[in-house]
Amino acid sequence: MPSAETVLLLVPEPPPGAPHPRGPAPPGAEALAVLLPPTTAAAAPRPLQGEAVPQPGRRRLWLDVVDYDEAGGMRFAGSAPPGARLRVYVGAQHAGDAVADAAGRWTLTPEQPPAIGRHTLRVDQLAAAGTVAARLELPFLRDARADEAFRDEALRDGRIIVQPGLSLWRIARRVYGRGLRYTVIYAANRDQIRDPGRIYPGQVFSVPDEAPPQAVSNRSR
């Protein structure tokens, strides 16, 4: 049954000389799994697997996800002590306030998404007196939407010539409607793609007409 939620999996490549894939993962090579509800839902993204999560009451201020939806909307989510009041800035602009729930999770969807380009995200945890009890600053890049990097004429007869600014995710989002189906294009061009995160202008890829759901689920196992 199709789900409205998405599970994001980040699986690092094993370093040279690493043990068998079924053996224990070396330090720093653990996979990360995050549950991403629709941006219109009230639920916040939630880590399912990854680094050990501190117990409620001992959480620290943290940012877990900068999430984009297909319409260009944006959502920030992370953890903080339960009940903590948070104030979020993108550069010098106040993006909104949030309150960590009983489980120590917080989420914020800014009314005005940041402009395309590089920004500094600042999250302030406010004390009862309104002073800053903790602060987190991280740089992030808001990329252009797929429509701005993908031209319809780039795809012909089931093949595409990679243009500057394209990625497998963008191609899959435009062709199949979901960026997560990039695995279908990757599987069809394994002889040319060594790393799905690195494709180059001028490469010519086969793009299957349809993306069978099983093609994605098999790659995720």
Side-chain angles (χ1 to χ4, degrees):
M1 178 181 297
S3 172
E5 297 175 321
T6 299
V7 175
L8 173 65
L9 298 177
L10 301 177
V11 182
E13 290 286 340
H20 190 276
R22 294 189 179 182
E30 293 81 3
L32 173 67
V34 180
L35 181 68
L36 301 178
T39 55
T40 55
R46 177 168 56 90
L48 301 176
Q49 174 181 313
E51 296 182 355
V53 178
Q55 296 297 321
R58 295 191 296 168
R59 284 184 179 270
R60 59 173 178 164
L61 180 62
W62 198 250
L63 177 71
D64 293 319
V65 175
V66 178
D67 187 23
Y68 300 81
D69 65 16
E70 302 295 336
M74 197 170 215
R75 172 175 57 188
F76 305 114
S79 59
R85 295 187 300 126
L86 308 171
R87 184 154 294 165
V88 180
Y89 296 86
V90 176
Q93 182 178 0
H94 178 216
D97 295 342
V99 177
D101 62 18
R105 307 296 307 168
W106 64 268
T107 183
L108 174 68
T109 300
E111 294 184 3
Q112 296 294 331
I116 301 298
R118 297 184 181 275
H119 302 276
T120 297
L121 176 68
R122 189 177 96 216
V123 183
D124 289 347
Q125 178 183 326
L126 303 179
T131 56
V132 176
R135 172 171 290 172
L136 174 69
E137 291 190 13
L138 290 171
F140 76 94
L141 171 66
R142 181 171 183 196
D143 213 344
R145 293 178 56 189
D147 289 349
E148 299 172 9
F150 189 105
R151 298 194 300 270
D152 289 332
E153 63 269 19
L155 179 64
R156 289 188 179 181
D157 300 323
R159 299 174 69 82
I160 186 171
I161 300 177
V162 177
Q163 304 295 321
L166 281 182
S167 65
L168 292 184
W169 182 282
R170 288 179 174 176
I171 298 171
R173 184 164 62 178
R174 182 60 177 267
V175 175
Y176 304 131
R178 294 190 66 194
L180 288 171
R181 293 185 182 256
Y182 80 92
T183 53
V184 177
I185 304 172
Y186 176 48
N189 298 274
R190 288 293 297 271
D191 58 332
Q192 298 189 67
I193 306 174
R194 297 183 60 184
D195 180 350
R198 295 181 179 180
I199 62 175
Y200 304 96
Q203 288 183 297
V204 180
F205 294 152
S206 297
V207 180
D209 291 337
E210 297 181 357
Q214 196 64 24
V216 176
S217 62
N218 286 342
R219 290 289 302 164
S220 300
R221 291 178 182 175

